[in-house]
């Protein structure tokens, strides 16, 4: 079993839809949870990160962590074609090595 | 602008040749990393370095070598011993003092073995 599981997709949605991207994990010691966005043939860029459980909002993006279920989510409101990318979740212990999910491919159709 | 520069962006290699991928950062980060990305497998750690003149193997170090002679630079050599080198290679860095340990990535180098 992988330490971090992420559905590879692809997930295809119409423009304007609410998108939900998810990861599950097995190590209950993880404290920091991140989401990266990676456009085709580019390096990943950090979207946002959260510490422990709870929600964090940044514009159209909301990150949610449920440590009791070992489940994290990224919601994208009013999705745009420019949101089409691969989304990688990542998590870590305090300052330690990041563990990445395999990434979910998202396609937003105009 | 601060960032991480990887070169070359695309590289072709014949079997049996060693190639070196360059990674330079001007973020003044202490730690630097090399990852390999294959479709459906996510990011796999090759090597990392937290201080000049020191580096550690990651999960898939066989067939690769690195050096860290300067804080800003962390080149990766893909040797002929790497059996399946065709992949997308990503360099990253982070500030060791960061609690979250978030990484900042370069644009990547795509290596194709002919």
């Amino acid at each position: 079993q992988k330490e971090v599981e992420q559905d590879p997709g692809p997930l295809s949605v119409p423009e304007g839809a609410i998108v939900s991207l998810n990861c599950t994990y097995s190590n209950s010691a993880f404290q920091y949870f991140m989401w990266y966005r990676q456009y085709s043939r580019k390096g990943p860029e950090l979207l946002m990160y959260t510490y422990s459980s709870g929600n964090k909002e940044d514009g159209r993006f909301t990150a949610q962590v449920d440590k009791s279920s070992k489940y994290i989510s990224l919601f994208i409101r009013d999705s745009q074609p420019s949101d089409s990318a691969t989304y990688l979740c990542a998590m870590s212990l305090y300052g330690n090595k990041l563990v990445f999910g395999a990434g979910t491919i998202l396609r937003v159709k105009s | 602008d601060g960032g991480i520069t990887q070169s070359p962006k695309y590289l072709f290699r014949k079997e049996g040749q060693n190639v070196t991928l360059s990674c330079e950062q001007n973020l003044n980060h202490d730690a630097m990393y090399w990852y390999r990305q294959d479709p459906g497998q996510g990011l796999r750690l090759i090597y990392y370095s937290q201080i000049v003149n020191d580096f550690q193997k990651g999960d898939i170090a066989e067939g690769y070598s690195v050096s860290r002679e300067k804080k800003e630079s962390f080149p990766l050599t893909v040797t002929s011993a790497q059996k399946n080198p065709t992949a997308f290679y990503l360099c990253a860095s982070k500030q060791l003092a960061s609690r979250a340990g978030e990484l900042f990535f370069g644009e990547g180098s795509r290596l194709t073995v002919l």
Side-chain angles (χ1 to χ4, degrees):
Chain A
Q1 182 188 4
K2 291 183 180 179
E3 212 167 356
V4 178
E5 298 277 1
Q6 187 175 8
D7 187 333
L11 177 62
S12 187
V13 302
E15 183 176 355
I18 296 174
V19 175
S20 173
L21 303 166
N22 311 296
C23 288
T24 59
Y25 61 95
S26 57
N27 188 346
S28 58
F30 285 137
Q31 298 169 305
Y32 292 92
F33 304 89
M34 300 167 201
W35 287 96
Y36 284 83
R37 178 175 62 196
Q38 184 178 22
Y39 291 116
S40 181
R41 293 184 288 276
K42 299 289 188 182
E45 57 177 322
L46 180 66
L47 280 175
M48 56 200 307
Y49 76 83
T50 55
Y51 172 70
S52 193
S53 285
N55 292 358
K56 186 173 183 179
E57 188 174 320
D58 184 0
R60 296 184 295 112
F61 298 88
T62 299
Q64 194 172 77
V65 175
D66 182 351
K67 290 196 74 177
S68 62
S69 301
K70 296 179 192 166
Y71 188 88
I72 69 170
S73 300
L74 178 70
F75 298 96
I76 307 174
R77 291 185 300 280
D78 188 25
S79 56
Q80 303 295 310
S82 58
D83 294 327
S84 298
T86 297
Y87 289 81
L88 300 161
C89 65
M91 43 202 80
S92 71
L93 304 177
Y94 183 98
N96 283 349
K97 185 178 74 171
L98 280 183
V99 180
F100 285 88
T104 299
I105 298 170
L106 172 65
R107 296 175 181 152
V108 181
K109 300 173 292 184
S110 59
Chain B
D1 284 339
I4 299 175
T5 301
Q6 288 187 239
S7 62
K9 194 170 180 66
Y10 298 96
L11 185 61
F12 297 90
R13 183 193 103 172
K14 294 181 180 179
E15 284 194 28
Q17 286 182 335
N18 292 354
V19 293
T20 297
L21 308 180
S22 170
C23 178
E24 303 277 333
Q25 56 101 357
N26 60 3
L27 298 168
N28 199 32
H29 285 173
D30 305 302
M32 298 186 73
Y33 300 75
W34 275 105
Y35 286 89
R36 170 180 172 140
Q37 187 174 35
D38 297 282
Q41 293 199 45
L43 301 179
R44 292 186 288 170
L45 182 62
I46 304 172
Y47 267 99
Y48 66 101
S49 168
Q50 296 184 318
I51 194 170
V52 173
N53 292 323
D54 188 43
F55 47 82
Q56 286 76 43
K57 293 181 179 180
D59 302 316
I60 55 163
E62 185 175 351
Y64 300 97
S65 66
V66 293
S67 63
R68 186 89 185 274
E69 297 178 2
K70 299 186 300 182
K71 185 177 181 179
E72 302 81 17
S73 178
F74 191 42
L76 173 74
T77 296
V78 184
T79 75
S80 57
Q82 170 50 236
K83 298 306 178 189
N84 185 22
T86 294
F88 190 51
Y89 291 88
L90 287 160
C91 179
S93 70
K94 78 172 186 181
Q95 192 59 267
L96 283 177
S98 165
R99 292 182 179 181
E102 67 272 30
L103 292 173
F104 295 86
F105 287 88
E107 292 284 86
S109 293
R110 182 164 298 280
L111 172 64
T112 303
V113 173
L114 303 173

